[in-house]
Amino acid sequence: MRVLGVDPGLRVTGYACLACDPGVAPFRTPDIVEAGVIRLRGEGSTPPQGGSGTNPGKQARRRSVGTPRAASISARLVELDDDFRAVLQRTRPEVVAVESLFAHYKHPATAIAMGHARGVLLLAIRHAGARLVEVRPNEVKLALTGYGHAGKDQMQRAMQAVFGLAELPSPPDLADALAIALCALRRLSPGTL
């Protein structure tokens, strides 16, 4: 079974695809198929140098009409859609786990921005025909650290330990995506580490 975990964002979206066959190897740590981040530039930012991730045709599609803020958000959403669909095509997960929407009373705009990104992701998942699993941030933190309000550094250390990584998974969005995928995999296959 392949599970893709996604930590949505309008600037950085983390993703991690895990594979495990619980019937063959119960209580085994799943394999990391692919993990990374999608860094969204939006309109008006400088594209990265070199060949990775650049596409001259994409630049033309990112131009929008309207206020600079609206143009930037819409450009990021187009970029997120393109890049996430490519991840789905490469990893071919049966299940995609996405962090559910949450809001902090001090930062309500964050929930709105995350909602935009989640909408694009959920639509792409639906088009790909994968099963959707939503997980709450506190559920992930509690399951993997024993504390529902664990910090980013705690999640990074937990993922380093679980997967036996030589370095901390960085940026934190990558560690969160690994944690989301692992939590969903555990929910679907209780014998998985």
Side-chain angles (χ1 to χ4, degrees), residues 3-95:
V3 175
L4 179 67
V6 185
D7 181 30
L10 270 181
R11 295 195 186 283
V12 178
T13 293
Y15 69 91
C17 185
L18 304 179
C20 186
D21 187 353
V24 174
F27 303 104
R28 184 176 81 78
T29 303
D31 297 321
I32 299 173
V33 175
E34 181 179 332
V37 296
I38 299 169
R39 292 186 189 278
L40 304 174
R41 295 182 309 270
E43 189 170 286
S45 62
T46 306
Q49 299 300 315
S52 66
T54 59
N55 181 341
K58 277 176 106 174
Q59 294 299 330
R61 285 186 278 139
R62 290 191 189 136
R63 294 195 177 110
S64 302
V65 178
T67 64
R69 180 80 177 138
S72 177
I73 290 172
S74 64
R76 285 186 179 134
L77 293 174
V78 168
E79 188 177 358
L80 177 60
D81 184 52
D82 290 346
D83 293 349
F84 185 64
R85 286 177 190 260
V87 168
L88 286 170
Q89 189 174 24
R90 277 194 317 272
T91 60
R92 302 213 182 275
E94 289 95 353
V95 177

Side-chain angles (χ1 to χ4, degrees), residues 101-175:
L101 191 59
F102 66 93
H104 191 279
Y105 71 94
K106 291 183 181 179
H107 309 286
T110 302
I112 294 168
M114 189 173 162
H116 291 316
R118 278 178 41 84
V120 167
L121 297 170
L122 297 179
L123 183 60
I125 293 164
R126 182 70 167 178
H127 280 291
R131 177 179 168 194
L132 172 67
V133 173
E134 295 188 64
V135 292
R136 295 183 322 276
N138 290 357
E139 173 189 356
V140 173
K141 293 174 182 181
L142 181 63
L144 300 173
T145 68
Y147 180 55
H149 298 284
K152 295 283 188 187
D153 59 330
Q154 289 173 291
M155 291 303 294
Q156 286 175 288
R157 285 193 304 271
M159 292 302 91
Q160 181 183 25
V162 167
F163 290 102
L165 303 173
E167 298 176 5
L168 285 177
S170 183
D173 311 89
L174 173 59

Side-chain angles (χ1 to χ4, degrees), residues 167-185:
E167 298 176 5
L168 285 177
S170 183
D173 311 89
L174 173 59
D176 289 348
L178 283 165
I180 290 164
L182 185 58
C183 189
L185 192 56

